[in-house]
Amino acid sequence: MNVKTSHIARGRSDEADRLTEATGVLAQLNRDCGGSIGSTIAIPGLLSLVEKARSYGLKLARQFEAIDGENRITAWAEITPVDGGQGGCEIAIASWQAEQLPPENEIDAERRRIEVNRHLAECTARLDANQSILSVETEAPDLEEFRSRSLAAVGQSWTTLVDMPTKDYQQPLHWRLLDGAECTIPGSKRQWTAHLEPLGKGEPGSAGFVLYLAASTPLSERSGDLQADTPSLGKDLTPVLRQPINRIIANAETIRTKLAGPLAEEYSQYAADIASAGQHLLALVDDLSDLEIVESDDFVTAPDRIDLADVARRACGILGVRAQERGITLVPPVEGESQLAIAEFRRVLQILLNLVGNAIRYSPEDSQVWLRLDQIGSRALITVADQGHGLEEDQQARVFEKFERLGRSGDGGSGLGLYISRRIARAMDGDLTVESAPGLGARFTLSVPAAEDLRSERRDGPGSTVPDADS
């Protein structure tokens, strides 16, 4: 006897686990979790079930849990793959129970506070039960002196290495009096706040402590935090900048996905905007770092025998999700196609990621981006072609200039990608060129020395060379 199940809500996902349809409580919960129709399912427990059902092509009926901001939701979902999962999944909700969340207790609040301190810290030290130093870890340039002094003072109290108002009191102070205390550190012009995480069961601190030192301000050349010598962006500043930017992105994503707790929908969107801005800033830092490297007099590449087809397929794999979100199809060289070259794999991949990324950014929806291989004489070629608006003749002459964005001011780009890519190409004894016409898209071609086949190498010897057809 078949028992008919009553469903209180239904939905549909596509082959990329995006929620394309949803009704009732399912639609509302997805919105509460920061999602929307057309985007990836935002309910973590349900997304996991849908991914499994689609991947294995099997119908699943399971319970999942979620938080809508005020309640803990327990629901029963029936997931049915469409066309073995290639067409996405049908989602049916058979039961729904909402339980109001209890107020956060002191233990949970303390755990969250420690987590925040851990993310913000630029220096972490392990202390014993007497608050004496066991080890120190930091990458902050202005704490290098503190780190050296700490390693030389293992077994001594950490408070002897910093300046704080509490030094006039009898030492050592109870850890709770030091938790949250402000201090200054010799060698750094920044103000610091100390946080202590007690370890051990029973009596807090019986197994020692973790000391977190968080600065009130980031490093800045203007404030004199950095050395007097002109800092190198690639070598000195990039690691310093990446750390706080990565922290911003990570925390914003944690907030956006509500892993840190309930959040109103509009604030989830704010967090998404923060994460996106952080990604743009990080990309700019990377571009400026690369700019300094490629313009240095001693910049060289590490050429090796590579397959341009393999690099192209890897670039398409990395950017496949971004292209899919824009409705753009990437067409890499087919499996089995090959074009051997002498170039640095990492640098060629960097160039192709830039070219394909630009093609995705400026191409219309439902268009294609092709990657084609060729060889002319002793030059191996790979071309990235799109169906975008194309470039005027004067734009083709300017597109490789430094900071040139052709009037585009809102795309988040730095105007350095093509300039850097051409510098890298020429450092590999190659070049990067463009052919285009208004309305007919653009074709960017990377040329590098072609690799001789193994039969030619065995016949002519390892030291033989082939003249450059372009010379």
Side-chain angles (χ1 to χ4, degrees):
M1 181 177 68
N2 293 327
V3 178
K4 186 176 182 180
T5 304
S6 176
H7 297 129
I8 59 176
R10 292 183 178 275
R12 178 74 181 261
S13 64
D14 63 11
E15 70 283 353
D17 301 324
R18 293 183 290 251
L19 191 64
T20 57
E21 302 174 17
T23 63
V25 292
L26 176 59
Q28 183 62 50
L29 179 59
N30 194 66
R31 286 194 297 268
D32 290 340
C33 289
S36 61
I37 299 299
S39 62
T40 304
I41 297 171
I43 309 165
L46 180 61
L47 175 60
S48 177
L49 293 179
V50 170
E51 288 176 338
K52 289 179 181 179
R54 175 184 54 76
S55 299
Y56 295 106
L58 298 175
K59 180 176 180 179
L60 293 179
R62 302 269 180 86
Q63 178 178 286
F64 70 90
E65 292 186 352
I67 295 176
D68 67 359
E70 297 180 354
N71 303 287
R72 176 179 286 106
I73 306 299
T74 303
W76 184 268
E78 297 175 359
I79 317 296
T80 305
V82 178
D83 294 334
Q86 297 182 4
C89 296
E90 293 182 352
I91 305 168
I93 306 300
S95 67
W96 190 272
Q97 181 179 352
E99 178 184 3
Q100 188 172 6
L101 290 171
E104 186 175 52
N105 58 40
E106 293 184 4
I107 296 178
D108 289 337
E110 178 66 14
R111 186 182 298 113
R112 289 178 189 268
R113 186 185 70 84
I114 291 174
E115 191 65 26
V116 170
N117 293 337
R118 186 178 296 123
H119 280 296
L120 295 178
E122 292 189 46
C123 178
T124 302
R126 181 71 164 80
L127 311 176
D128 65 16
N130 295 319
Q131 298 184 44
S132 298
I133 296 173
L134 297 176
S135 65
V136 175
E137 293 183 7
T138 181
E139 294 183 358
D142 57 337
L143 290 185
E144 186 57 37
E145 178 184 338
F146 172 76
R147 179 179 178 277
S148 298
R149 292 174 60 228
S150 298
L151 294 178
V154 170
Q156 299 181 30
S157 173
W158 69 275
T159 57
T160 63
L161 302 174
V162 301
D163 296 321
M164 54 200 322
T166 56
K167 276 202 169 181
D168 293 335
Y169 296 89
Q170 185 177 358
Q171 300 291 335
L173 287 176
H174 192 278
W175 72 270
R176 292 192 186 278
L177 297 177
L178 294 171
D179 186 31
E182 295 185 352
C183 62
T184 57
I185 301 177
S188 173
K189 295 186 177 181
R190 294 189 285 173
Q191 190 73 19
W192 296 84
T193 301
H195 298 282
L196 288 164
E197 176 186 352
L199 306 176
K201 296 181 179 180
E203 181 65 23
S206 59
F209 301 86
V210 179
L211 170 66
Y212 301 108
L213 292 173
S216 57
T217 57
L219 277 175
S220 64
E221 184 179 4
R222 182 184 305 172
S223 65
D225 296 323
L226 298 175
Q227 297 178 356
D229 296 338
T230 302
S232 163
L233 179 62
K235 180 180 178 181
D236 300 324
L237 293 185
T238 297
V240 176
L241 293 173
R242 287 186 67 89
Q243 182 182 16
I245 296 173
N246 274 323
R247 190 186 311 160
I248 291 170
I249 296 170
N251 289 342
E253 286 293 339
T254 298
I255 295 171
R256 182 187 67 82
T257 55
K258 302 188 179 180
L259 294 177
L263 190 71
E265 183 176 356
E266 60 270 23
Y267 290 103
S268 178
Q269 185 58 50
Y270 298 156
D273 292 340
I274 293 171
S276 178
Q279 293 284 5
H280 287 315
L281 182 57
L282 192 60
L284 177 59
V285 170
D286 289 338
D287 282 348
L288 291 173
S289 175
D290 282 337
L291 176 65
E292 181 183 50
I293 293 171
V294 301
E295 288 190 331
S296 65
D297 294 335
D298 57 352
F299 173 63
V300 294
T301 60
D304 196 0
R305 178 187 293 271
I306 65 172
D307 185 355
L308 294 181
D310 176 52
V311 187
R313 286 189 285 267
R314 288 174 186 259
C316 290
I318 293 171
L319 296 175
V321 174
R322 186 191 304 178
Q324 194 174 50
E325 291 174 348
R326 291 287 311 277
I328 294 172
T329 302
L330 301 182
V331 185
V334 298
E335 290 294 336
E337 190 175 3
S338 177
Q339 177 59 66
L340 297 179
I342 300 298
E344 184 176 349
F345 179 93
R346 181 174 65 92
R347 292 300 185 181
V348 172
L349 180 61
Q350 180 181 352
I351 294 172
L352 292 185
L353 288 175
N354 179 260
L355 297 179
V356 177
N358 283 345
I360 293 172
R361 183 181 293 119
Y362 302 124
S363 294
E365 293 186 3
D366 300 321
S367 63
Q368 293 184 329
V369 174
W370 299 275
L371 285 79
R372 293 289 182 264
L373 303 172
D374 200 357
Q375 181 173 348
I376 299 178
S378 63
R379 314 303 291 179
L381 312 176
I382 182 165
T383 298
V384 178
D386 62 52
Q387 295 176 303
H389 298 297
L391 300 172
E392 301 281 354
E393 187 172 348
D394 65 316
Q395 291 179 319
Q396 296 178 46
R398 291 160 33 213
V399 72
F400 292 106
E401 294 179 3
K402 193 189 304 185
F403 298 111
E404 179 56 61
R405 299 174 63 191
L406 301 180
R408 297 183 292 259
S409 59
D411 58 18
S414 65
L416 290 170
L418 290 175
Y419 172 82
I420 291 171
S421 294
R422 175 176 268 186
R423 296 277 302 208
I424 294 173
R426 290 178 174 176
M428 295 188 295
D429 191 24
D431 204 356
L432 181 61
T433 58
V434 63
E435 296 178 277
S436 184
L440 297 178
R443 294 173 297 281
F444 287 87
T445 299
L446 169 66
S447 64
V448 291
E452 302 177 47
D453 62 36
L454 295 178
R455 290 173 299 175
S456 174
E457 286 190 356
R458 284 195 296 268
R459 183 176 63 251
D460 299 332
S464 63
T465 59
V466 177
D468 189 335
D470 294 341
S471 61

